[in-house]
Amino acid sequence: MDFRYKAFFPNAALLMASDLHKPFPPYKPKGKEDYMNPRQLAHFRKMLEEMKRELSQDIDRTVHTMQDEATIFADPNDRASQESDMSLELRNRDRERKLIKKIDETIVRIDAGEYGYCDSCGVEIGLKRLEARPTATLCIDCKTLDEMREKQVAK
Ligand SMILES: [Zn+2]
């Protein structure tokens, strides 16, 4: 996952399956299945763990890059751009940490048997939506309503 270009995206909780370096194979239901049966839960757990692994690797890489670049430049302009690079890296790292926290919380929901249901109204979030956003806690209707309210507040 490369979050570098999304550093300014305000919603730290947004984690998309399409962010994965390696596309995760989608879930294939065997005929008519119960929603959130053990096989489905195992699928999403694996997907979340894979995302977490990639994020942790990205954090490690950032730390190494920063150590490598910790040269003191004589030119104040170089120093200034180095400083802004570093603060961007730090922001990225902060975002990655938040995403990992979100993944951990989602895995807790799987363990608790709460995964896949809307936090607000209780309906099934749906395989398709979870496949794209495995950390989603709201159904699409509640999410849309939420975003409309946010926009109202922002005005
Ligand atoms: Zn809902």
Side-chain angles (χ1 to χ4, degrees):
M1 260 177 267
D2 196 349
F3 291 100
R4 231 152 288 247
Y5 306 106
K6 294 181 193 158
F8 299 106
F9 207 92
N11 186 358
L14 189 89
L15 187 61
M16 303 286 288
S18 51
D19 286 332
L20 278 163
H21 291 311
K22 236 183 358 194
F24 199 80
Y27 183 78
K28 287 194 193 70
K30 289 177 181 162
K32 192 154 167 49
E33 285 188 357
D34 286 338
Y35 185 65
M36 290 299 129
N37 65 47
R39 229 182 111 232
Q40 290 182 8
L41 289 173
H43 166 82
F44 287 110
R45 180 194 292 272
K46 244 181 103 187
M47 188 173 184
L48 289 160
E49 279 166 358
E50 179 62 21
M51 288 178 141
K52 188 174 162 179
R53 203 180 55 81
E54 285 196 2
L55 280 166
S56 310
Q57 281 177 351
D58 284 353
I59 292 180
D60 287 349
R61 205 174 311 133
T62 310
V63 174
H64 288 134
T65 311
M66 284 174 58
Q67 282 165 350
D68 292 346
E69 285 171 359
T71 328
I72 308 295
F73 290 107
D75 185 337
N77 286 327
D78 289 343
R79 268 207 307 271
S81 83
Q82 184 190 23
E83 268 168 31
S84 72
D85 283 356
M86 279 210 175
S87 82
L88 180 66
E89 287 288 354
L90 286 173
R91 263 199 309 250
N92 273 327
R93 219 159 22 141
D94 184 51
R95 190 182 130 77
E96 282 159 3
R97 286 224 177 84
K98 280 186 187 135
L99 288 172
I100 287 180
K101 194 168 160 260
K102 179 91 184 161
I103 291 174
D104 285 338
E105 285 166 6
T106 308
I107 291 174
V108 168
R109 287 169 69 96
I110 292 180
D111 290 336
E114 289 163 6
Y115 184 72
Y117 297 92
C118 178
D119 255 2
S120 179
C121 73
V123 305
E124 297 177 0
I125 293 174
L127 287 185
K128 222 179 124 196
R129 177 162 160 75
L130 289 171
E131 201 81 73
R133 293 163 190 235
T135 56
T137 54
L138 293 176
C139 73
I140 191 69
D141 292 341
C142 290
K143 181 71 196 163
T144 309
L145 204 66
D146 216 42
E147 275 165 8
M148 277 159 66
R149 284 201 193 108
E150 260 168 45
K151 274 188 203 130
Q152 288 290 328
V153 173
K155 265 179 200 165

